[in-house]
Amino acid sequence: MSLFADEPPWHFDLTPGAVVLHRFARREALALLETITSVASQAPFRHLVTPGGQTMSVAMTNCGKKGWHSDGHGYRYTSQDPLSGKPWPDMPGNLLLLARLAAQEAGYSDFHPDACLINRYVPGARLSLHQDKDEQDRAAPIVSVSLGLPAVFQFGGATRQSAVQRVLLEHGDVVVWGGPSRLFYHGVLALKEGFHPDTGAIRYNLTFRKTC
Ligand code: SIN
Ligand code: FE2
């Protein structure tokens, strides 16, 4: 226990390369939620379909130079929103700065994300165990920021069969994984019903990625 254990952020090491920074983004949370509203007014949330034909329970949109997309042809990053044909909304400076500072706090200096995937969960929505492996740059970490309702995040290992750790991610919590854990399996259990003063019955998650 550190002397300053009651001061955010609390660091929790999941495994080498992966750390939870509890409350790291809490001060910025309202500004981040405003940004999400603005991004969604240009590139609306949508339920993507996996290559296997399943409609995802999590709704998604993106900002940044690249955005993640999935359909019958596979998973990939695109420069335009396939719904509108327009470039994805810009990644605002406050998001970029937050992602850079979180990466630095976790030991990854000089993080330059070019994509921010925004996930929206309503009660019951979940994300099954998966690897983030559509990015060409595997040297850069993934920075994940949680807002609104709490969710149980699962963090496993190099294979789908690896044991998983479960951590509750609350408003303003950040997870960073990279280095030896960059390709580790992770997911989110079905969101429980609830009410958050800033988001109502919703959880948002932002993941910052360097795609190429
Ligand atoms: C993700 O794996 O892309 C998102 C994780 C989360 O919503 O916490
Ligand atoms: Fe992921």
Side-chain angles (χ1 to χ4, degrees):
M1 270 270 233
S2 113
L3 192 56
F4 305 105
D6 56 345
E7 303 232 327
W10 299 291
H11 285 221
F12 176 73
D13 291 315
L14 285 164
T15 187
V19 59
V20 182
L21 307 171
H22 285 292
R23 300 199 173 190
F24 189 86
R26 198 169 263 203
R27 275 192 320 164
E28 278 74 41
L30 282 177
L32 297 178
L33 288 169
E34 280 170 21
T35 298
I36 292 172
T37 304
S38 155
V39 168
S41 73
Q42 303 161 68
F45 280 102
R46 75 288 309 264
H47 293 272
L48 296 172
V49 176
T50 66
Q54 303 264 14
T55 299
M56 298 180 77
S57 58
V58 177
M60 297 179 174
T61 186
N62 295 273
C63 64
K65 290 205 162 48
K66 301 281 178 176
W68 190 80
H69 184 69
S70 172
D71 58 21
H73 301 292
Y75 306 116
R76 62 198 176 277
Y77 284 96
T78 64
S79 303
Q80 280 96 28
D81 178 354
L83 284 190
S84 65
K86 291 194 286 200
W88 294 104
D90 285 337
M91 191 188 305
N94 60 329
L95 266 71
L96 187 60
L97 182 62
L98 175 70
R100 288 175 60 80
L101 290 175
Q104 197 173 313
E105 184 79 22
Y108 300 98
S109 55
D110 225 19
F111 180 46
H112 289 283
D114 57 357
C116 174
L117 171 63
I118 307 174
N119 292 331
R120 185 183 69 191
Y121 297 73
V122 295
R126 58 190 284 273
L127 200 58
S128 53
L129 278 183
H130 65 278
Q131 296 169 289
D132 291 354
K133 60 175 185 188
D134 300 324
E135 302 75 26
Q136 285 162 29
D137 187 325
R138 302 276 170 79
I142 301 284
V143 172
S144 150
V145 178
S146 293
L147 297 169
L149 282 185
V152 179
F153 182 63
Q154 293 188 295
F155 200 77
T159 73
R160 196 175 281 285
Q161 286 71 37
S162 310
V164 299
Q165 301 182 68
R166 292 178 170 184
V167 286
L168 188 70
L169 296 182
E170 297 181 290
H171 190 57
D173 288 350
V174 177
V175 188
V176 182
W177 64 94
S181 63
R182 173 63 182 76
L183 290 176
F184 278 15
Y185 279 83
H186 58 278
V188 178
L189 297 186
L191 195 75
K192 288 214 172 80
E193 298 279 351
F195 178 83
H196 189 279
D198 297 334
T199 64
I202 291 180
R203 170 182 189 253
Y204 293 104
N205 176 266
L206 307 158
T207 43
F208 295 89
R209 298 128 186 267
K210 183 165 178 352
T211 67
C212 53

